[in-house]
Structure formats: structure tokens, C-alpha cells
Amino acid sequence: MNSSDRVVSLNAPARPNGSGAAAILSAGAGSFALAVLAFAGDKSALIKSSLVFYKPTGPLSGVTTAAILTWLFTWGILEWRWRKRTVAAGRISAIALVFLGLSLLLTFPPVVDLF
Amino acid sequence: MEITTRSLWALIHGMGFGALYLLACSGALLELYRFTSSYPPSDSTPGHERFLKGYLITMVVLAWAAVLTGAYVLYPWYRAAPPPGTADLSMYPQRLLLSSPTTIGWHSFGMEWKEHIAWLVPISITMAAFVFIRYGRGLRNHRQLRAAVLCFTLVSFLAAGVAGFFGAMINKYAPVQGGPTIQLSPGGEK
């Protein structure tokens, strides 16, 4: 690739940020869903038993499957709504990082044991 | 020299997928930062960008392979319940750890943390790879997206580190073992 190609690539117009924001927010939401489901399963025997999707793996199978479906569903909806738009990426990224921070807290056993 | 199939799966999960992911992570963080910083270095070419896209896709595959083999191949062996009256718990790692106050924490803290935090890794790196593939070096024009991608990638690194550390320690105190034996080389006295 010669230098003129690189100049063209570097100066290409910016894409709308909606698609990236959708991926980031949905990753935060999916992580948070995983943490909330894990927390709920730890605190309620009924929820724990309802999360057993695959018996050898136990409730972890339901926690992770439901969280991944939540993540992918949220991503699909947001991508569909935002992909051609420019959105408030700063606010959306901040919300996603708050979700991620809460996920880290809620998956940390000493924090779970506080409740 | 021989190895059991369960030990082989533990090796594939930990030393294969998990350790390779951890090794790749620091490189991904550095390259993502370098490619998307405001002042692109003179040696960043479209060829390098394609390489980084392939590198991130490989990391996505490693991350998903690690959590899926962990949850659906190894974890059932780890948490298997022994028949009543079983005295030798060596084939039941979770129960073996819970049977002694000196090892109970490796399950109640280590495994409880690892089994959940590990799943943040594939979610985070899949998102990071998607955003980089979608925007490439153009990500430097979206500072907030870039910052979020770097944060998620850093968290995936830390989460993989936690999962890897506890996986190694739990396997040290209560290894997953058993199953058919694979002969690696014929034994013999020297």
C-alpha cells in the first residue's frame, strides 16, 4: 500500500457513532444482566432452580444463557435504531461503564454476601 | 507418560484458550491504543489494520472457547455430586474443596467469582472487536467510543486474569481428573 492510499484512508469521513454506541451500551447491559441474574440466583432458591437450563452445569447455564440473549437482543434493537444516527456517545459510554462497574461489584463474592 | 481426558480438557481450557487470551490481551490493548490515538504513527498501514482486525477476531474465538469449555465441559466434572458415603473425594473437586476449612475458600470465593466474572471477557472483547472492525482507524475520530472500547478491553484483561489465577489455584488443590487415559509415550526405566 503506498502513501497516497494511506492519506485517503486517514482522511475518510467519520461514520455516525450510533453503531459503536449500540455495541458498547449493549455490552454493558449484557454484563449487568449477567451480574444481576447471578446475584438473584444466589439469593433466591426459586430463581436458582429456574436458572438450571442444563443440569450438569446447574444455574450457571441459565445465568449465562439469559444474559447472552439479553445482550444480543439489546444489541440488535439498538443497532437497528442507531446505526445511521449520531447519538450522545459520551453519555451512552458513561452508562455502559457504570453497568460494567456494577457488574464487577455484583460478581465479587464479598459484595454479594453483604445482602 | 499418560494423561486423563479430563486433565487434557483442563489443559486445553486453561493453558490453551485462557492463557493464549491473556497473552494476546496486552498486545491488543497497546495496538488498540496506538491505532486509535489522535496522532497515528507513521508505520500504521491498512495492512496493519487488517492484521489487528484478525488478531481481535482470534481473541474473540479464544474467549468464547475458554468460557464454553469451562462451563459445559469442565464445570460439570468439577461440581459433580458424589454418591452417599463416598470417602475418597478426589474425583469430586468441589466437594473436596468444601471438605476442609483450609481449602473451602478456593470454592466459596475463588470459583464463585471466577465462574461469573469470566463471562464478562467474551462479551467485552466481542464488542471491542466489532467496534474496531466497524470503524478501524476512524475510531480516533470518536473519542468517547474509543475510551469505552479501551476500558472494556482492560476489564476483559483483568477478568481473564482473575479467572486464570483461580482456575490454576483450584486445579492445584482439587484437580479435575479421571476419564479414559491417553498414553502419550511408553514408560520405562532409565
Side-chain angles (χ1 to χ4, degrees), chain A residues 1 23 44 46 54:
Chain A
M1 194 62 65
S44 159
L46 181 68
Y54 175 62

Side-chain angles (χ1 to χ4, degrees), chain B:
Chain B
M1 194 163 72
E2 60 187 28
I3 189 169
T4 65
T5 47
R6 291 184 184 184
S7 298
L8 181 62
W9 272 109
L11 272 175
I12 291 168
H13 163 76
M15 294 298 292
F17 304 138
L20 272 180
Y21 182 86
L22 272 171
L23 281 172
C25 225
S26 52
L29 272 168
L30 190 70
E31 284 298 291
L32 275 172
Y33 179 81
R34 198 172 71 92
F35 262 89
T36 60
S37 60
S38 299
Y39 301 100
S42 57
D43 63 341
S44 66
T45 64
H48 288 128
E49 188 175 323
R50 274 197 302 277
F51 175 81
L52 183 53
K53 287 175 181 174
Y55 189 91
L56 290 171
I57 290 169
T58 305
M59 287 181 70
V60 171
V61 172
L62 287 173
W64 282 107
V67 293
L68 290 172
T69 54
Y72 292 100
V73 179
L74 290 164
Y75 192 58
W77 294 328
Y78 171 81
R79 69 187 294 274
T86 304
D88 178 10
L89 296 173
S90 59
M91 299 291 284
Y92 306 95
Q94 184 191 50
R95 304 306 167 105
L96 182 62
L97 292 176
L98 294 174
S99 68
S100 165
T102 60
T103 56
I104 195 168
W106 290 115
H107 172 75
S108 61
F109 179 76
M111 181 54 91
E112 292 286 339
W113 194 14
K114 165 190 164 67
E115 73 186 30
H116 294 122
I117 198 171
W119 287 84
L120 303 185
V121 177
I123 293 174
S124 297
I125 201 66
T126 303
M127 178 278 284
F130 172 84
V131 174
F132 186 74
I133 288 166
R134 176 60 58 96
Y135 292 91
R137 272 174 296 182
L139 196 54
R140 77 188 204 284
N141 300 320
H142 302 282
R143 286 180 57 201
Q144 295 98 343
L145 299 186
R146 170 180 171 261
V149 164
L150 287 170
C151 283
F152 270 83
T153 308
L154 180 63
V155 166
S156 91
F157 184 35
L158 298 176
V162 168
F165 170 75
F166 282 108
M169 294 309 289
I170 289 166
N171 201 50
K172 176 177 161 66
Y173 287 102
V176 168
Q177 53 190 341
T181 300
I182 299 163
Q183 198 76 28
L184 298 174
S185 70
E189 284 185 25
K190 266 191 164 182

Side-chain angles (χ1 to χ4, degrees), chain A residues 3-98:
Chain A
S3 59
S4 63
D5 289 336
R6 194 164 71 226
V7 170
V8 168
S9 172
L10 288 173
N11 291 335
R15 283 173 186 269
N17 63 12
S19 186
I24 289 164
L25 184 58
S26 59
S31 302
F32 186 60
L34 183 126
V36 168
L37 286 164
F39 181 85
D42 191 68
K43 297 299 166 194
S44 159
L46 181 68
I47 295 173
K48 187 175 188 174
S49 63
S50 69
L51 287 168
V52 180
F53 289 8
Y54 175 62
K55 204 172 174 188
T57 298
L60 182 64
S61 59
V63 168
T64 55
T65 305
I68 288 166
L69 291 176
T70 303
W71 165 48
L72 294 176
F73 180 75
T74 309
W75 191 357
I77 295 288
L78 292 176
E79 172 73 14
W80 172 56
R81 297 291 306 269
W82 290 355
R83 74 183 157 193
K84 291 178 182 165
R85 292 175 51 193
T86 295
V87 295
R91 197 163 46 121
I92 289 164
S93 295
I95 294 168
L97 290 173
V98 168

